[in-house]
Amino acid sequence: MTALVPRAARRRAGQLASFAEALLTPHGVDRYLELLDPMLVRKEIRGVVTEVRRQAADTVTLTIRPSRAWRGFTAGQYVRVSVHIDGVRRTRCYSPACSQYRTDGLLELTIKADPHGLVSSYLYANAERGMVLELSQPDGAFTMPANRPHGVLLISGGSGITPVISMLRTLVDEGHGGPITFLHYANTADDVLYRDELAELAATHPGLRVAFGYTHEHTGGDLHGFFGTEHLHAVAPWYRDAETYLCGPTPLMDAVRTVFDTAGLSEQLHTEEFAPPPLQLDTGNATGQVRFTHSGAETANSGRPLLEQAEEAGLRPEHGCRMGICFSCTKVKATGCVRDARSGELSTEENEEIQLCISVPVGDVEINC
Amino acid sequence: MTGLQDRLTPEQVEEFGREMDEIRQRLVADLGKEDVDYIQNLIKTQRALEVTGRGLLFAGFFPPAWMAGVAALSVAKILDNMEIGHNVMHGQYDWTRIPALSSQKFEWDNVAPAQNWRHSHNYIHHTYTNILDKDRDIGYGILRIDPAQKWHPYYLGNPAYASVLAFIFQWGVMLHDLEFDRIAKGERTWADTKEVGANMLRKAARQVGKDYVLFPLLTGPLAPLTLLGNATANMSRNLWAFAIIFCGHFPADVESFTEEETENETRGQWYLRQILGSANITGGKLFHIMSGNLSHQIEHHLFPDIPARRYPQIAEEIRASCAKYGLPYHAGPLHKQLFSVAKKLVKLALPWNGEPSDPKPTTLERDKDLAAA
Ligand code: FES
């Protein structure tokens, strides 16, 4: 009988919610609740910053309490974080660094301020307790299989540490039985993020080896210089029998990939880099003019994604991933038709938001850019 | 009626167009947090008024509470439809990328579904402003508001139709998108209206549901009073919106155009047509906000996608530009413009074609020497 109570209560809450929606149509309950407190929203996800920590010179670590619609994440995934900068809502993807089992339900994001990065510099400079961010549900397929591999090798560089430290913390929480090596690269000892946490984890979890590689120092680390096969032999000689998860700057990614490819182990290497979606481009049959209304630039449609066409026309539109996931390149299409080069879907509405990096003009278009 | 082309030399028209473009660029470059704060604060005010109004109606047995409730709710609906809805749906805040301010996502507190309205208003009316047979806002397909519309005995009822339309304006705006007149003329079939019609039913059901069923029921024994209150608020909004909108395009001195004279229009000519086809309403700051800044109809038609709060900032400059090129800049107080529209509605009920007193654009001299200006 007692088990029925919560269900009935939940049903009643659901009915109440849809009644409230009917009363507050067309704007919906969230548009009223957020005026009282932005964290009260029911459908959208917000996160309030509960703690700000600066571990290294240019990074900031935020602890965030997500609002009620948050459903949790899987280690390795990312969330889209939006902030409003000078009136414009800007969105970037960040991978939580905490364990997916974190019991207090909080989320931890570590953000490295990129001097050219609008959002990261903004968060670095302005994040404070009580700040409210807009969040998305988690996304991304850079995750470990539910049936955990026995040996796990986690390789990261710089701020790429976040998804893999999340995996590590998750494995430790699970009491993983197999060997784990956490190999992290930083320029110097001072740049290492999560040093204390990693030392603590290594001390409590028997099968874990944490190794730091300093690319710009010759002493003080477990390894020095850039990644190479000898580093693998030194810290994870069993790597051939393990699954490897990798996230970091492009040179590191390339170096690791080359080694694994040569060893015939590419199947066992998993990267955070999303495979660029196969874009269907038809440059032969492109027609029409592309007009960028704010700058006045105009170019003949080349059939390439609008981001490239804008850059060729001398513009520098904001962008991130260039593959349709981060929404940094979102602009308003004033008129005309564009095709989503991933799905082939056409967008013909006026004043519609499009992502420049994956949209190809079909005939004349005008972009507010 | 003087042809559009006869106004200024082609060079002058393009020069004028460039001036307008410059103003536009300047505004776009300056958009920022202030604009977002403005609209967010207005939304806050609107929501607060709405909640207050609905709340007061729970005490509707006490006449002052009922009246205050209706007043608050009326203002909330007017703000929602005009300064917020109309402007947000124009895409004036799309650059903020805030979903709640997105022209594609916003829905207003009005029976006309946003999606239908965006098509007929943003596209048809703003592109083909005051072009006979193209701009379906000329007389809304039921009134004779322009002497160039051919007279028919049906139009004897002109003033009566207009009065009825004023009271039920939101329904008129909704049905407008079915394009009955074009169906009657055979340019459109009933089948074409299927999707548009389905949108209408859904939206209207929700609107009617909250205003005439749910909120009245919630107030229990006061249900009839609440229903009456909500109906009054909807009606006040209808009358107000009707007045503002009719004064924006139909006072006597505003012009209309034919399809031929606007063919292959340049950007400069398009700007010119917007100026000639619109009229401003003069008034104070509050009046401008309540009218959704449609009192700056001229500026709005020049730059429909620039946040409306910017219109008063550029009005003087536009007026000066018009003076420089000898173009009219129609403006007058609400009562005067309303009277002018009413007179026109009555006159055009009769088979009168407007020739005798058609205002010859006095300010236009074909070869006006701009250097001398
Ligand atoms: S979505 Fe990331 S750059 Fe376009």
Side-chain angles (χ1 to χ4, degrees):
Chain A
M1 198 58 212
T2 44
L4 287 176
V5 177
R7 201 187 304 156
R10 226 178 306 136
R11 189 162 2 101
R12 211 166 313 125
Q15 283 166 350
L16 202 67
S18 40
F19 185 63
E21 290 288 350
L23 287 177
L24 295 176
T25 188
H27 304 303
V29 177
D30 278 358
R31 295 281 79 78
Y32 293 81
L33 290 178
E34 71 181 356
L35 298 178
L36 296 176
D37 175 352
M39 288 298 289
L40 285 178
V41 291
R42 299 177 51 90
K43 288 186 175 163
E44 285 164 19
I45 312 171
R46 306 270 165 84
V48 62
V49 174
T50 57
E51 197 193 317
V52 179
R53 189 156 64 100
R54 289 168 212 275
Q55 314 188 34
D58 52 356
T59 62
V60 59
T61 298
L62 309 178
T63 309
I64 293 165
R65 180 169 53 79
S67 63
R68 55 184 295 159
W70 174 252
R71 289 198 303 264
F73 75 107
T74 305
Q77 287 189 308
Y78 59 86
V79 283
R80 293 192 186 85
V81 177
S82 306
V83 287
H84 295 217
I85 306 173
D86 194 23
V88 182
R89 182 177 188 260
R90 311 273 175 179
T91 305
R92 294 293 184 276
C93 301
Y94 294 107
S95 306
C98 49
S99 161
Q100 69 184 53
Y101 302 117
R102 190 169 167 151
T103 44
D104 53 11
L106 299 184
L107 215 56
E108 181 180 304
L109 301 182
T110 290
I111 293 150
K112 183 176 152 81
D114 168 356
H116 304 293
L118 207 54
V119 174
S120 60
S121 340
Y122 176 84
L123 284 172
Y124 178 74
N126 298 296
E128 55 179 14
R129 269 185 69 122
M131 179 185 201
V132 175
L133 309 170
E134 293 171 30
L135 306 176
S136 72
Q137 293 292 1
D139 207 348
F142 180 55
T143 54
M144 298 178 290
N147 201 347
R148 304 290 193 225
H150 184 64
V152 179
L153 170 57
L154 303 166
I155 308 177
S156 58
S159 59
I161 193 171
T162 55
V164 285
I165 198 174
S166 169
M167 291 179 179
L168 175 65
R169 286 166 152 177
T170 300
L171 288 171
V172 168
D173 279 352
E174 285 171 354
H176 186 73
I180 309 173
T181 289
F182 191 89
L183 170 54
H184 178 69
Y185 287 89
N187 288 351
T188 68
D190 292 339
D191 300 314
V192 174
L193 300 172
Y194 291 107
R195 174 186 292 281
D196 297 345
E197 288 87 343
L198 285 167
E200 210 172 293
L201 286 176
T204 53
H205 192 82
L208 169 63
R209 164 151 198 204
V210 173
F212 296 122
Y214 301 144
T215 51
H216 292 58
E217 264 169 22
H218 299 290
T219 54
D222 303 288
L223 303 162
H224 302 96
F226 289 98
F227 174 86
T229 327
E230 55 312 336
H231 285 189
L232 277 186
H233 288 294
V235 300
W238 38 262
Y239 71 95
R240 289 178 168 278
D241 305 314
E243 294 293 322
T244 299
Y245 297 86
L246 162 70
C247 182
T250 318
L252 174 67
M253 306 275 279
D254 290 345
V256 177
R257 223 177 265 129
T258 314
V259 167
F260 275 72
D261 280 353
T262 339
L265 294 173
S266 42
E267 294 280 292
Q268 280 155 255
L269 177 66
H270 312 277
T271 59
E272 156 74 308
E273 212 181 44
F274 319 87
L279 295 187
Q280 317 145 12
L281 301 173
D282 182 4
T283 47
N285 291 319
T287 57
Q289 285 289 111
V290 183
R291 217 172 82 85
F292 298 98
T293 55
H294 291 177
S295 57
E298 193 163 340
T299 165
N301 176 17
S302 66
R304 306 285 309 165
L306 274 163
L307 182 59
E308 288 175 32
Q309 299 205 37
E311 287 169 343
E312 266 151 39
L315 308 182
R316 291 280 158 269
E318 181 193 344
H319 63 267
C321 66
R322 305 187 74 103
M323 53 183 86
I325 48 170
C326 72
F327 292 87
S328 319
C329 62
T330 308
K331 291 274 187 260
V332 173
K333 175 197 66 179
T335 61
C337 170
V338 299
R339 190 166 46 83
D340 182 330
R342 298 168 304 180
S343 62
E345 207 179 308
L346 295 179
S347 122
T348 48
E349 281 253 22
E350 281 183 30
N351 289 320
E352 193 161 36
E353 284 192 346
I354 58 163
Q355 290 157 271
L356 295 186
C357 67
I358 45 120
S359 299
V360 178
V362 179
D364 292 344
V365 292
E366 284 194 329
I367 311 293
N368 292 345
C369 166
Chain B
M1 193 159 289
T2 324
L4 256 185
Q5 291 75 3
D6 307 334
R7 300 293 165 110
L8 302 166
T9 65
E11 294 74 44
Q12 287 172 331
V13 173
E14 291 323 297
E15 181 58 35
F16 174 72
R18 266 193 298 277
E19 275 180 30
M20 296 298 114
D21 272 338
E22 260 164 44
I23 297 179
R24 183 193 167 79
Q25 299 282 5
R26 218 176 54 220
L27 286 177
V28 166
D30 194 45
L31 294 179
K33 190 165 182 307
E34 262 183 45
D35 299 273
V36 183
D37 288 348
Y38 168 80
I39 195 74
Q40 301 283 35
N41 281 332
L42 208 76
I43 288 176
K44 256 184 228 163
T45 311
Q46 184 271 329
R47 304 280 144 92
L49 279 167
E50 183 186 346
V51 172
T52 311
R54 303 243 185 234
L56 280 169
L57 287 180
F58 279 79
F61 51 83
F62 180 52
W66 188 88
M67 279 188 288
V70 171
L73 196 54
S74 305
V75 176
K77 281 180 183 271
I78 287 170
L79 287 178
D80 179 280
N81 285 189
M82 318 270 300
E83 182 71 341
I84 303 169
H86 168 265
N87 289 330
V88 167
M89 282 148 65
H90 254 295
Q92 294 182 357
Y93 298 92
D94 280 1
W95 55 273
T96 66
R97 303 186 196 165
I98 299 172
L101 296 180
S102 151
S103 63
Q104 304 303 309
K105 299 193 184 105
F106 192 88
E107 239 334 319
W108 55 358
D109 185 4
N110 187 303
V111 290
Q115 196 195 345
N116 297 354
W117 182 85
R118 277 201 318 265
H119 173 78
S120 66
H121 180 86
N122 286 7
Y123 172 51
I124 305 289
H125 168 60
H126 273 271
T127 313
Y128 302 116
T129 314
N130 284 26
I131 301 182
L132 284 170
D133 294 331
K134 279 212 138 176
D135 179 2
R136 300 191 50 263
D137 281 17
I138 299 187
Y140 287 85
I142 50 173
L143 301 176
R144 184 164 183 251
I145 194 75
D146 192 285
Q149 286 172 285
K150 238 179 83 202
W151 187 81
H152 183 278
Y154 159 86
Y155 288 124
L156 284 170
N158 221 24
Y161 310 146
S163 316
V164 173
L165 181 61
F167 280 93
I168 58 158
F169 196 51
Q170 65 164 343
W171 297 95
V173 171
M174 178 185 93
L175 293 173
H176 183 50
D177 295 324
L178 281 178
E179 311 189 24
F180 279 133
D181 49 319
R182 288 186 54 210
I183 295 174
K185 280 192 233 154
E187 292 171 5
R188 196 175 145 92
T189 68
W190 279 106
D192 295 337
T193 64
K194 222 169 122 197
E195 193 197 324
V196 173
N199 280 344
M200 287 178 190
L201 278 181
R202 222 174 307 126
K203 180 76 193 288
R206 279 197 213 119
Q207 291 291 116
V208 168
K210 73 164 173 173
D211 277 344
Y212 300 131
V213 182
L214 295 182
F215 275 110
L217 285 182
L218 269 185
T219 53
L222 297 181
L225 279 177
T226 310
L227 189 141
L228 189 68
N230 291 350
T232 313
N234 276 325
M235 191 187 72
S236 319
R237 182 270 326 275
N238 288 345
L239 290 172
W240 178 255
F242 175 89
I244 297 296
I245 288 161
F246 271 62
C247 288
H249 289 298
F250 309 135
D253 42 5
V254 170
E255 298 171 37
S256 61
F257 311 94
T258 61
E259 260 184 272
E260 298 81 66
E261 63 180 339
T262 55
E263 241 166 53
N264 303 321
E265 222 175 27
T266 64
R267 196 158 168 75
Q269 287 167 329
W270 182 85
Y271 275 133
L272 191 58
R273 177 156 54 83
Q274 304 306 321
I275 298 249
L276 300 175
S278 311
N280 282 3
I281 315 171
T282 52
K285 191 162 177 226
L286 187 63
F287 171 73
H288 290 312
I289 293 176
M290 290 294 282
S291 76
N293 271 305
L294 286 182
S295 47
H296 286 100
Q297 188 75 244
I298 298 178
E299 288 74 19
H300 173 57
H301 264 266
L302 291 171
F303 312 120
D305 58 346
I306 300 275
R309 69 177 277 270
R310 299 285 185 158
Y311 298 155
Q313 298 174 9
I314 53 165
E316 269 322 302
E317 215 174 327
I318 303 283
R319 189 195 274 273
S321 254
C322 287
K324 175 171 154 198
Y325 290 91
L327 296 170
Y329 182 96
H330 306 301
L334 184 63
H335 62 90
K336 190 179 139 249
Q337 304 292 73
L338 260 184
F339 184 68
S340 168
V341 174
K343 218 166 62 185
K344 207 167 165 186
L345 281 165
V346 172
K347 263 197 206 167
L348 293 176
L350 303 169
W352 171 78
N353 66 7
E355 280 315 331
S357 67
D358 183 31
K360 278 280 168 270
T362 47
T363 42
L364 300 178
E365 296 138 47
R366 200 187 142 89
D367 295 314
K368 189 166 168 151
D369 182 359
L370 282 175

